[in-house]
């Protein structure tokens, strides 16, 4: 009967050993699962943090984009205003110059007529006398000629001034374009 009880004992011990081994395997599996869960939780936390960081970056970039859009709009408006002001000024300068030119041209035409009349009067006087030009008529003719020459010089000076102003206007337009190009970079 001892062998039977010993055999039963061995079997019971083997069963216990097998159960223990099974429990240890289950425990190891649970520990692995727990480690995996910890790692997943850590990864999720890191992922959440990265997501928050990215969302913050996106918000910051959106704000910068809005700021840049607003600045661009302001620059466009400012440039348009400067261009308007500039165009108005150019028109005013041109109108003034055109007025001066017209008035000088009218004076010039009037003096030409007077000179023609004076020459005819002189010819008539010389023709009727049959002699030379008296000093009074010569002085008058010299004065008229001098007036015409002065007017011609004034016209030329005015045209030079107009060309100079147009050049200044062109330079300013180039400068504005260049400034606008720099502002947009």
């Amino acid at each position: 009967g001892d062998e039977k009880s010993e055999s039963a004992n061995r079997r019971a011990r083997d069963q216990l050993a097998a159960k223990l081994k099974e429990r240890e395997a289950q425990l190891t599996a649970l520990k692995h699962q727990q480690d995996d869960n910890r790692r997943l939780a850590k990864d999720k936390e890191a992922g959440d943090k990265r997501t928050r960081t990215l969302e913050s970056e996106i918000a910051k970039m959106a704000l910068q984009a809005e700021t840049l859009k607003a600045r661009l709009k302001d620059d466009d408006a400012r440039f348009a205003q400067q261009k308007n002001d500039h165009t108005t000024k150019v028109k005013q300068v041109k109108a003034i110059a055109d007025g001066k030119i017209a008035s000088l041209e009218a004076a010039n035409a009037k003096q030409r007529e007077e000179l023609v009349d004076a020459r005819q009067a002189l010819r008539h006087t010389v023709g009727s006398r049959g002699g030379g030009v008296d000093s009074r008529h010569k002085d008058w003719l010299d004065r008229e000629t001098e007036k015409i020459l002065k007017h011609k010089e004034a016209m030329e000076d005015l045209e030079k001034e107009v060309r100079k102003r147009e050049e200044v206007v062109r330079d300013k337009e180039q400068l504005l374009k260049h400034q606008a190009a720099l502002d947009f970079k």
Side-chain angles (χ1 to χ4, degrees):
D2 275 344
E3 273 185 36
K4 243 186 193 179
S5 72
E6 203 175 303
S7 165
N9 253 345
R10 198 178 303 127
R11 206 177 9 224
R13 225 180 14 233
D14 286 348
Q15 282 176 343
L16 273 176
K19 268 189 181 170
L20 183 62
K21 217 174 201 175
E22 196 181 310
R23 290 281 184 251
E24 283 176 345
Q26 285 175 347
L27 186 62
T28 303
L30 281 173
K31 276 185 180 172
H32 281 310
Q33 200 175 347
Q34 191 178 25
D35 288 346
D36 287 347
N37 285 345
R38 277 199 195 110
R39 198 169 35 254
L40 283 173
K42 215 177 198 179
D43 288 350
K44 185 182 181 316
E45 196 178 308
D48 289 350
K49 188 177 180 187
R50 181 85 180 118
T51 300
R52 283 193 300 274
T53 304
L54 285 173
E55 284 170 352
S56 166
E57 288 293 318
I58 289 169
K60 210 184 292 176
M61 288 172 107
L63 186 65
Q64 286 173 343
E66 286 305 310
T67 305
L68 284 173
K69 260 191 232 168
R71 193 175 141 211
L72 196 60
K73 195 176 173 187
D74 287 350
D75 286 352
D76 283 349
R78 193 165 33 85
F79 183 68
Q81 185 58 50
Q82 284 176 339
K83 194 173 178 190
N84 255 357
D85 294 349
H86 181 67
T87 304
T88 304
K89 201 166 198 157
V90 167
K91 283 179 183 170
Q92 288 171 346
V93 168
K94 189 174 177 350
I96 291 168
D98 287 348
K100 282 184 182 175
I101 288 172
S103 114
L104 282 174
E105 281 174 345
N108 210 356
K110 184 177 176 226
Q111 283 188 337
R112 275 198 202 101
E113 276 177 42
E114 287 174 357
L115 188 59
V116 166
D117 292 347
R119 282 194 181 130
Q120 284 174 348
L122 191 63
R123 273 195 211 107
H124 179 70
T125 307
V126 169
S128 66
R129 281 213 209 119
V133 180
D134 71 6
S135 68
R136 217 169 32 132
H137 279 101
K138 188 177 183 325
D139 289 346
W140 177 82
L141 185 61
D142 287 346
R143 280 194 309 275
E144 288 303 309
T145 306
E146 186 64 29
K147 271 193 218 170
I148 288 172
L149 288 175
K150 278 184 181 167
H151 265 291
K152 189 174 183 227
E153 279 177 27
M155 278 290 286
E156 286 170 356
D157 288 347
L158 186 64
E159 283 172 1
K160 275 185 206 164
E161 182 64 25
V162 167
R163 277 196 298 276
K164 212 186 296 174
R165 285 184 181 193
E166 285 173 349
E167 226 173 89
V168 168
V169 164
R170 269 196 308 277
D171 290 349
K172 191 167 181 189
E173 281 176 345
Q174 285 297 321
L175 198 63
L176 282 172
K177 283 181 191 169
H178 185 68
Q179 182 186 357
L182 287 178
D183 285 349
F184 291 135
K185 282 185 182 173

